[in-house]
Amino acid sequence: MKKVLFATTALIATASVAAADVRMSGYGRFGLDYNSANERVAGVSETNITSRLRLQFDMSTEADGGIGFNARFRLQSESRDGVVAGGAAGGTAANGARFGVTYGGLAVNVGNIIGAVENAPGLYTTGTRSAGTGIDGMGFHSLAIKSRTGTAFNWDAYSSGGNGVNGIEALYSVGGFTGHVSYTQRNGGTVLGTAGGEDRTGVMVTYSFSDYYVTAAAQSSSVAANDITFVAAGGDFGAFGAKIAYGTTDAADSVTLEGNMDIGAASNILVWVNSTDVSGAVTAADTADGTSFGINYQYDLGGGATFVAGYVDEADNDNQFQAGVYFSF
């Protein structure tokens, strides 16, 4: 089983770099995607190629006294459901940069920040290449934060295809404890001299011990529909792993149960089930209400390459299947 990893690990690690460093990394993924929902979309086949190529640049240096400075920038090109995403031509998008300062276990970031809720362990699937199901996550129906029509994604997170939320955040790790606070203010008002857009404050706390963790996260927004509470617990038990996660918004309460198992030295299979209760009177438009489930299979091909296959049955009875290859570099 892969150990529980936090997004903060790479950020805190930059504090130990003794000299300026520029690193390029990334991944490619491509495969076959079947989505039954496309039968209701004119001009789109139910079966398409899904793909993404990502290049990531990380720069860091350390000043006298042990203070570290770092930045991240990303380029990405992708296609899904027959539509090229990211740019008007060619499908390539650059994102806004994130800048950071580190000292000991403290990291402060500005710009295209991670976001406190986004950084909560247990939010995404455990150890899968897409952080969801299949090659590209297939809508991330496993997540326990829901709107009335599906996974909400109404929390602050690092943007791979745009400027991001242009916020500020602080992360602190000591022993098994990790704390994360983030704040963003969107522009968009009509009054001179004021931003006027939505503001969000997020907080996340996690405690990990051995191969287990418990976490809680929340987001408070000036837009009530974007208030979020999330809790999760999980861990590894030798060749097995398990997780339970709960999320609540104004729109829905949602619970996800997940289990995974190693098969031999190179394979892993993960199964999840999500139950979502939409608030108030439920209509046919409330497609997230009900039970969805998924299964993800991975086989390590060596050299950073992995064969991935996945299936998702959605709460509204649409279904998806994907199979392909993911390789990192």
Side-chain angles (χ1 to χ4, degrees), residues 49-102:
I49 298 297
T50 180
S51 65
R52 172 185 286 176
L53 178 63
R54 172 179 291 177
L55 292 175
Q56 186 161 281
F57 301 87
D58 289 283
M59 294 71 70
S60 62
T61 191
E62 185 176 292
D64 295 342
I67 300 176
F69 298 89
N70 62 82
R72 169 169 289 185
F73 173 73
R74 184 178 289 173
L75 293 171
Q76 182 167 288
S77 180
E78 66 178 330
S79 175
R80 191 178 195 283
D81 288 333
V83 178
V84 175
T92 300
N95 69 343
R98 183 178 72 225
F99 298 90
V101 180
T102 61

Side-chain angles (χ1 to χ4, degrees), residues 158-237:
Y158 186 93
S159 173
S160 296
N163 290 329
V165 292
N166 198 32
I168 184 170
E169 62 187 350
L171 306 90
Y172 182 72
S173 293
V174 58
F177 171 81
T178 298
H180 187 165
V181 178
S182 63
Y183 175 77
T184 60
Q185 170 69 67
R186 286 155 176 76
N187 294 323
T190 58
V191 179
L192 295 177
T194 62
E198 179 187 1
D199 62 84
R200 299 174 178 176
T201 301
V203 61
M204 183 276 290
V205 291
T206 294
Y207 184 72
S208 60
F209 45 100
S210 185
D211 293 331
Y212 315 105
Y213 68 89
V214 291
T215 188
Q219 177 177 277
S220 176
S221 171
S222 58
V223 177
N226 292 334
D227 288 344
I228 294 168
T229 301
F230 175 81
V231 293
D236 292 340
F237 309 89

Side-chain angles (χ1 to χ4, degrees), residues 138-153:
M138 289 194 283
F140 297 91
H141 293 272
S142 60
L143 272 66
I145 301 176
K146 290 290 197 291
S147 68
R148 303 186 74 91
T149 57
T151 303
F153 289 109

